[in-house]
Amino acid sequence: MSNQYDFHCHSTASDGALAPQALLQRAHAQGVTCLALTDHDTVNGLALAQQEAEQLNMRFIAGIELSVTWERHCLHIVGLNINADNGVLQQGIAGLQSIRVERAQKIAHKLAQKRIPDVYEAVTAAAGEGMITRSHFADYLLKQHYVSTQQEAFDRYLGQGKSAYVSTTWASLQDAVSWINQAGGVAVLAHPLRYKFSANWFNRLLTAFTQFGGQGIEVVTGRCSADEIKQLSQYALRYDLWGSVGSDFHTPVNQWVELGRLQALPEKIKPVWELF
Ligand code: AMP
Ligand code: MN
Ligand code: MN
Ligand code: MN
C-alpha cells in the first residue's frame, strides 16, 4: 500500500520532526515521486524543500495547512500549488501566526496555574523559527514527565475542554479559501472525517466550502479504511471536488503513519494532481 503522491505532511517549520531536506529524503526513500509540504499556517519550509526535491529529481508542490474556525469548529484547509510569495496569502498567515503566539502564551499561563511553570520559554525554544503548536506543548509535558504519552497530554491538558485548553478564533473559511485561491492554489478540505460531523453538518460544510471556491477534498488519508474512502468518494462526486491523497506525516516515531503509505485514489475520482 504505497502511493507515489503524498500531498499532506509537516516539517520543522511547524510541528513535524524532520527538517524539510530530511523530509524530502525520507519521501524519496519511500517511493514518493511527488510531494506537497503543508505546514500549519506557514510557508517557511517550502524553499528548502523545493531545493531538496530538485536534488532528488522529485516533483514538489508548494502547500500549506490553514487553521480555520467555521461555525465554532476548528477545521484544516490545505492549499496546494500556492505561490508562497503572494501578498494576500502572506498577510493572512501573518495574522494566524500572531494568533498562535497569543494562544501559546495563554496556554502557558493556564499550565502555570496547574503548577507547570515556564512552559512558554520552553516551547518557544523547541519550535525555533517554526510555528508553535499544541504538539510542542505535548512534547514538553511528556519530556518533563507530567504525562506519559503525547495523547495523555491532550486528554488531560490540551484537548478541547481540558484544563489548559484555549478556545481560539482562527481564519474564517471564506478567507482561508480566498487566500489560497488568490495565491493561485487549490483549496482542499483536510482529513474530513476527523471533525466527526453528522451527514447534515458535513453537507452544510461542503456547500459553504464550494460556494467560497474550495475545489478539493482529501479522499485518501493515512490509516483510513476502504469504507471511509468510499464515503468520501461519494462526497467528492456529489460536490464535484478533486480528490487528494495525504498521509499527514509528522514524525518517524509514529510507526502507524508514513510518507506515501496511502491507498490508491479510486478511479472514478478526479485526481487533484491533474491540475498541476
Ligand atoms: P494546533 O494546530 O496548534 O492546535 O495543534 C494541532 C496539532 O496537534 C495537530 O496538527 C496534531 O499534530 C496535534 N494533535 C491535535 N490533537 C491531538 C491529539 N488528540 N493527540 C495527538 N496529537 C494531536
Ligand atoms: Mn500537526
Ligand atoms: Mn490537520
Ligand atoms: Mn496536518
Side-chain angles (χ1 to χ4, degrees):
M1 186 184 56
S2 84
N3 205 301
Q4 284 174 272
Y5 298 90
D6 192 336
F7 288 165
H8 187 153
C9 63
H10 297 272
S11 76
T12 47
S14 65
D15 58 352
L18 302 181
Q21 297 95 325
L23 185 77
L24 266 288
Q25 285 161 15
R26 189 177 182 95
H28 186 253
Q30 295 294 330
V32 174
T33 58
C34 181
L35 187 86
L37 173 59
T38 56
D39 275 308
H40 297 286
D41 306 320
T42 181
V43 294
N44 286 349
L46 298 180
L48 286 175
Q50 168 78 54
Q51 280 172 25
E52 189 63 27
E54 281 164 23
Q55 295 288 317
L56 295 164
N57 230 338
M58 287 169 68
R59 271 217 68 194
F60 180 70
I61 305 293
I64 193 163
E65 181 173 21
L66 294 176
S67 307
V68 162
T69 300
W70 177 76
E71 303 269 342
R72 294 168 189 246
H73 295 278
C74 178
L75 306 177
H76 286 169
I77 303 295
V78 159
L80 295 178
N81 204 31
I82 51 169
N83 170 11
D85 296 326
N86 178 270
V88 173
L89 178 68
Q90 292 224 337
Q91 218 176 359
I93 62 184
L96 289 171
Q97 291 170 9
S98 336
I99 293 174
R100 280 197 173 273
V101 170
E102 283 162 33
R103 180 186 67 152
Q105 287 163 343
K106 289 181 188 160
I107 295 174
H109 185 73
K110 287 197 167 187
L111 288 170
Q113 289 174 333
K114 294 269 154 200
R115 297 169 194 255
I116 306 179
D118 305 325
V119 186
Y120 184 70
E121 293 69 22
V123 293
T124 314
E129 291 182 7
M131 297 295 99
I132 306 176
T133 72
R134 282 185 293 165
S135 307
H136 294 98
F137 283 92
D139 289 344
Y140 180 77
L141 293 173
L142 182 58
K143 201 175 82 186
Q144 298 296 319
H145 306 292
Y146 290 105
V147 293
S148 45
T149 61
Q150 250 225 2
Q151 188 56 48
E152 190 189 339
F154 281 91
D155 293 344
R156 279 180 59 190
Y157 298 104
L158 304 168
Q160 189 169 357
K162 307 302 176 191
S163 61
Y165 181 73
V166 173
S167 154
T168 308
T169 305
W170 303 101
S172 73
L173 181 60
Q174 181 161 21
D175 283 350
V177 170
S178 152
W179 301 338
I180 291 167
N181 286 341
Q182 288 183 72
V186 178
V188 174
L189 179 66
H191 40 63
L193 296 178
R194 214 183 288 170
Y195 314 118
K196 311 261 183 249
F197 282 150
S198 63
N200 184 25
W201 270 90
F202 202 59
N203 280 305
R204 282 185 61 191
L205 169 59
L206 288 178
T207 301
F209 178 65
T210 49
Q211 270 172 4
F212 295 148
Q215 295 187 80
I217 185 168
E218 284 181 357
V219 170
V220 177
T221 58
R223 307 178 66 186
C224 69
S225 67
D227 247 25
E228 290 168 338
I229 295 176
K230 213 166 130 185
Q231 197 185 338
L232 291 169
S233 294
Q234 283 163 358
Y235 283 108
L237 293 172
R238 188 182 308 164
Y239 288 88
D240 195 23
L241 294 162
W242 299 88
S244 187
V245 301
S247 65
D248 206 1
F249 176 88
H250 282 75
T251 169
V253 171
N254 179 352
Q255 54 184 316
W256 308 109
V257 176
E258 182 56 80
L259 289 162
R261 195 190 289 165
L262 289 159
Q263 318 232 23
L265 192 65
E267 276 182 19
K268 58 188 177 189
I269 303 301
K270 305 177 293 180
V272 72
W273 50 89
E274 282 183 2
L275 294 170
F276 310 143

